[in-house]
Amino acid sequence: MNDRIKVAVLGRNGRMGSEAVRAVEDAPDLELVAALGRGDDLQEIVDAGAQVVVDLTVPSATRENVRFAVAHGLHAVVGTTGWDDDALAQLREQLAEASGTGVLIAPNFAVGAVLAMKFSELAAAFFESVEIVELHHPRKLDAPSGTASRTAELVARSRERAGRGSSPDATESDPFGARGADVAGVHVHSVRLQGLVAHQETLLGNTGEQLTLRHDSFDRVSFMTGVLLGVRSVAEHPGLTVGLDGYMDLGL
Ligand SMILES: NC(=O)C1=CN([C@@H]2O[C@H](COP(=O)(O)OP(=O)(O)OC[C@H]3O[C@@H](n4cnc5c(N)ncnc54)[C@H](OP(=O)(O)O)[C@@H]3O)[C@@H](O)[C@H]2O)C=CC1
Ligand SMILES: O=C(O)C1=N[C@H](C(=O)O)C[C@H](O)C1
């Protein structure tokens, strides 16, 4: 009896998708039943009998990919960035009519990155200043990164709970945007550099001290443990989960 989980990967030719294909193929409890690239017909994943779809495509495609999966009763594990509040709200509406279907949207599948986001959230309540620097390869399509945006949102939520105001900043003139992006009131700076993969620092400052929380992904294999955790767990988490920490017992 083949009780392996049937998996389809979207984005099979990409940096992440090709890694995910290898990870699924190497997993004894998973069966890769379909792997789609740009232009391929999504109906192939239904015809192949997929139970879980892994989306590692591009921001312009991911929403339709996930809508299709949920509409056909397939669980989805999503790493692709570009999921703003409006997109998340639409997906929640669709899932409300699709009982039992689970969707995980994970800004970052690396366990260290998930922990660094949580540590940033925890620490942010105790520091006057918090800023984020994310550093990636120069072929990344979006800025700031989904991980940095998620970290900023968690930091802002933590600071609001603690009754902390904005980080002190006397800037009066910034004609070139040197102070970076403003994400939920947190300054986020994006670096794109040949030779990098995926890196982030949360900088927290008080008078006389600084705490730096840094995570580095040197190889995309670092994301695969989280991708496989998502595939193996999504069916047990109906509805929408944002963040791999929702599938982990961090005890924080
Ligand atoms: N959550 C996480 O841990 C991580 C998330 N990411 C995110 O994942 C996404 C992919 O990153 P990365 O692999 O580096 O990007 P790539 O551009 O290397 O890969 C994306 C792939 O998707 C393909 N594609 C585009 N549209 C479709 C479609 N409709 N159906 C199937 N395939 C399609 C592209 O085709 P083509 O080659 O023709 O362009 C490309 O091969 C990004 O949003 C990135 O931010 C990345 C790393 C980790
Ligand atoms: O594009 C990438 O490479 C990555 N994208 C994700 C993001 O935008 O946060 C995750 C990781 O940083 C790598």
Side-chain angles (χ1 to χ4, degrees), residues 136-148:
H136 283 82
H137 58 91
R139 297 181 63 188
K140 184 170 178 56
L141 298 178
D142 56 316
S145 68
T147 303

Side-chain angles (χ1 to χ4, degrees), residues 148-201:
S149 296
R150 175 71 173 163
T151 306
E153 290 160 3
L154 293 170
V155 160
R157 187 174 71 182
S158 170
R159 292 171 70 78
E160 185 177 3
R161 283 198 301 262
R164 279 207 175 268
S166 305
S167 297
D169 183 356
T171 305
E172 292 179 358
S173 165
D174 183 14
F176 303 110
R179 291 289 290 120
D182 179 332
V183 180
V186 179
H187 286 273
V188 178
H189 312 269
S190 298
V191 173
R192 296 292 176 261
L193 212 63
Q194 197 64 277
L196 295 181
V197 175
H199 317 265
Q200 181 173 297
E201 289 192 356

